[in-house]
Amino acid sequence: MASKAKVAVGFVVVGVLSVLFGTILTFVGPIIIDDQIVKNTVIDPKNTMSYTMWKDVPVPFYMSVYFFNVLNPQEILKGEKPMVEQKGPYVYRKRIQKDNITFHPNYTVSYREYRRYFFEPSMSAGSESDIVTIPNMLVLGASVMMENLPYPVRLMISATFKTFKEGPFLTKTVGELMWGYDSGLVDFLNKYLPGMLPSSGKFGLFAEFNNSNTGLFTINTGKDDIRKVHGVDSWNGLTELPYWKTPQCNMINGTAGQMWPPFMTKESTLPFYSPDACRSMELVYQRPGEMHGIPLYRYVAPKTLFANGTDYAPNEGFCPCRQSGLLNVSSCRHNSPVFISHPHFYNADPVLLTYVNGLNPTEDEHGLFIDIHPETGVPLNVSIRLQLNLYMKSVSAITETGKIAEVVMPMIWFEESGYIDGPILTTFHTNLVILPAVMEYMQYIFIALGLLTILIASLVHHRIKRSRNAANIPSVSTVFSNPGATEKGQIKASYDHETKEKCFISNSEK
């Protein structure tokens, strides 16, 4: 009995300690998890997984390009509404790699990110030899740029176009339009007016992006403050941009657009600086979600992103503006009348759709989004979609412009997309989802087992105590007949029994 009681008491002690440990774990566990997240999200070569993801971006990225093939170029020159059809996608695998990585004593790191594109025929809806007709930026863009020059100068410009046989529309292969084509006018301008064009070689819509870098980024490593990790400290040595009219619009905000600080909430936003858009942008929380068991937050572009200054006052610094939904990037594109928007003028002023036939915007196909794992700030699924538009109109003395009606003409739209998959996803899921979940469940398991152990040990101890008491309790009839003299009655009964036995023996002997 005594040994069983000691065992029961021992189990009670173990149960109490288990509950205590589980309770402590509920407070300490999240701190341990957060500490591990901080250690693994700091930009440090010692953090193998996160540093590799940041340095080489092992996630496959793709750029899908869609052309707006012009169906009625001659009618447009007569003043009729443009009619386009979408062709594509033409898909390119994007290879990203950081180089010239240099860590600085002030907890920042500098690098240049290089990018290369490789055509993927199996993922494309056509080949790079497909023929497409789009507006000729060299002619129609230059005409708008020159419309305020003296009349004789404009006549000379028109004569130059004719000399080099440059018309208002281009009919070229997809490969030529993407990566460059031979042009006598381009050679002439590069020779006599160097710097007027973005590229000194062949002229193509993406010629300056392939085999190039996005500039010298200096970002925070997060070693001194994890809330600063990936935040841009400077770009090409600049802490503010020279393109726009207000200090707010010239600010370089957020990250470089690949990762964000950990511990995000639904109130958090995704600010980032885009050298290609020449400005900082900010996405906002839309909804929660899940990808392969990993929780995520989806962030999307607000309607104010490309709104004009009239509809959204803070954007006044990006003007001169046209309708909402168009970002004028002429100030950072050699003054060419180029505008960025969402594809098919999604989220833009509906009037833009009335100027061009063949557009049909939808959120699923044309809205951009980034899915973020909020605890780490790592993107799980990315789809950035933008459209390149050319503002064109008839310019007197430049006969190539004919009677073109004033219009913001869509030329191409492209989507840069990528998502975590394969071994990276498995490692990410194990280290940042499963292990924290196991630790969280352990605290409840310890508390539950502890309470169960205490309950069982208490029941066992209670039964042992009852058994001990039952061994010392008299019969019910004796207690009932003389409850006040129980012990005395027991002694007398014993004496009478012994006397009777002696008398029985004595009589037998006689």
Side-chain angles (χ1 to χ4, degrees):
M1 287 286 185
S3 61
K4 288 184 178 180
K6 290 179 180 179
V7 171
V9 172
F11 271 105
V12 170
V13 173
V14 171
V16 170
L17 291 176
S18 181
V19 171
L20 183 62
F21 181 73
T23 304
I24 293 173
L25 202 60
T26 59
F27 295 99
V28 177
I31 297 174
I32 295 173
I33 294 170
D34 290 351
D35 183 60
Q36 288 301 309
I37 289 174
V38 169
K39 287 180 179 179
N40 283 291
T41 51
V42 168
I43 301 176
D44 189 338
K46 296 177 183 177
N47 300 331
T48 307
M49 184 184 74
S50 57
Y51 184 74
T52 300
M53 288 181 66
W54 173 79
K55 180 179 179 292
D56 295 325
V57 190
V59 177
F61 261 84
Y62 295 94
M63 181 176 70
S64 302
V65 181
Y66 299 82
F67 283 85
F68 290 104
N69 183 45
V70 179
L71 300 176
N72 60 339
Q74 296 305 316
E75 288 74 12
I76 294 173
L77 291 173
K78 296 175 183 178
E80 295 184 18
K81 184 188 295 187
M83 184 179 297
V84 299
E85 67 170 354
Q86 179 176 289
K87 296 191 71 173
Y90 300 94
V91 182
Y92 297 84
R93 179 169 51 87
K94 184 179 181 181
R95 179 76 172 95
I96 305 171
Q97 188 171 13
K98 292 179 176 65
D99 204 355
N100 302 328
I101 298 173
T102 307
F103 286 87
H104 306 293
N106 64 341
Y107 306 110
T108 62
V109 57
S110 298
Y111 65 90
R112 290 184 183 272
E113 185 173 88
Y114 291 83
R115 51 192 176 180
R116 297 181 65 189
Y117 297 91
F118 305 89
F119 185 62
E120 294 285 350
S122 63
M123 302 175 67
S124 303
S127 71
E128 285 192 307
S129 60
D130 289 354
I131 303 297
V132 178
T133 298
I134 63 171
N136 188 343
M137 291 181 64
L138 291 174
V139 172
L140 298 180
S143 297
V144 172
M145 293 167 63
M146 309 292 183
E147 67 173 330
N148 294 323
L149 294 179
Y151 191 84
V153 175
R154 280 179 275 146
L155 283 174
M156 186 175 65
I157 292 170
S158 182
T160 302
F161 290 151
K162 291 179 176 63
T163 299
F164 291 102
K165 298 180 181 180
E166 292 283 352
F169 292 92
L170 282 173
T171 300
K172 300 283 185 181
T173 67
V174 168
E176 289 175 319
L177 293 174
M178 285 290 297
W179 311 118
Y181 57 89
D182 293 319
S183 168
L185 177 60
V186 171
D187 294 338
F188 174 81
L189 293 174
N190 284 331
K191 183 176 180 180
Y192 295 102
L193 296 171
M196 181 178 179
L197 299 176
S199 175
S200 59
K202 295 181 178 182
F203 185 78
L205 296 174
F206 284 85
E208 62 177 309
F209 296 115
N210 202 14
N211 299 315
S212 65
N213 67 80
T214 55
L216 180 65
F217 272 96
T218 300
I219 66 173
N220 287 281
T221 63
K223 279 191 175 181
D224 61 329
D225 186 350
I226 197 61
R227 293 172 297 179
K228 297 179 182 179
V229 68
H230 300 294
V232 178
D233 184 72
S234 66
W235 175 74
N236 284 339
L238 301 172
T239 55
E240 59 180 27
L241 302 171
Y243 307 126
W244 313 109
K245 295 182 177 180
T246 63
Q248 181 178 353
C249 291
N250 277 321
M251 291 175 67
I252 299 178
N253 295 325
T255 72
Q258 292 177 347
M259 295 183 186
W260 282 264
F263 313 124
M264 303 183 70
T265 67
K266 294 178 180 179
E267 287 70 39
S268 303
T269 59
L270 288 192
F272 63 96
Y273 171 64
S274 170
D276 297 332
C278 309
R279 59 165 288 189
S280 296
M281 295 189 281
E282 190 171 46
L283 306 188
V284 296
Y285 172 84
Q286 184 192 50
R287 61 173 176 81
E290 189 177 281
M291 176 181 168
H292 299 295
I294 303 174
L296 60 83
Y297 285 170
R298 171 158 291 189
Y299 288 82
V300 298
K303 288 187 176 181
T304 56
L305 183 63
F306 295 142
N308 60 23
T310 302
D311 291 344
Y312 186 62
N315 283 354
E316 184 65 37
F318 296 120
C319 294
C321 299
R322 300 192 64 80
Q323 294 89 348
S324 274
L326 299 172
L327 174 66
N328 187 346
V329 293
S330 60
S331 59
C332 68
R333 295 297 177 206
H334 304 273
N335 293 317
S336 179
V338 175
F339 290 80
I340 289 177
S341 70
H342 295 301
H344 288 245
F345 295 132
Y346 169 73
N347 260 356
D349 190 326
V351 73
L352 293 169
L353 296 174
T354 65
Y355 297 148
V356 181
N357 287 331
L359 303 179
N360 182 32
T362 65
E363 180 180 0
D364 288 344
E365 294 184 9
H366 307 124
L368 66 82
F369 67 86
I370 298 178
D371 291 338
I372 293 283
H373 180 238
E375 286 298 306
T376 60
V378 174
L380 304 176
N381 189 17
V382 176
S383 182
I384 303 297
R385 299 159 174 162
L386 294 173
Q387 180 171 296
L388 186 66
N389 310 279
L390 180 67
Y391 172 61
M392 59 188 199
K393 60 186 290 189
S394 175
V395 177
S396 63
I398 303 180
T399 58
E400 284 74 15
T401 61
K403 297 179 180 179
I404 295 176
E406 186 176 348
V407 63
V408 177
M409 184 72 176
M411 298 176 65
I412 63 168
W413 74 269
F414 58 93
E415 173 187 20
E416 291 203 342
S417 59
Y419 59 92
I420 290 182
D421 201 2
I424 292 293
L425 177 64
T426 303
T427 304
F428 186 90
H429 187 267
T430 301
N431 291 346
L432 299 172
V433 178
I434 294 179
L435 292 181
V438 168
M439 184 170 288
E440 183 179 358
Y441 290 136
M442 279 178 63
Q443 64 196 26
Y444 300 116
I445 290 171
F446 273 112
I447 292 174
L449 287 176
L451 292 174
L452 185 61
T453 302
I454 292 171
L455 178 61
I456 293 173
S458 298
L459 290 173
V460 171
H461 183 70
H462 182 67
R463 290 186 65 182
I464 293 171
K465 189 175 181 181
R466 285 185 60 187
S467 298
R468 281 179 173 177
N469 292 336
N472 297 320
I473 293 175
S475 65
V476 175
S477 59
T478 305
V479 174
F480 182 77
S481 62
N482 191 5
T486 304
E487 186 177 352
K488 182 178 179 181
Q490 288 176 341
I491 295 172
K492 184 178 183 301
S494 177
Y495 174 78
D496 290 346
H497 179 71
E498 289 177 1
T499 304
K500 287 179 180 179
E501 280 188 344
K502 288 179 179 178
C503 292
F504 177 77
I505 294 169
S506 177
N507 290 332
S508 297
E509 289 176 348
K510 289 179 179 180

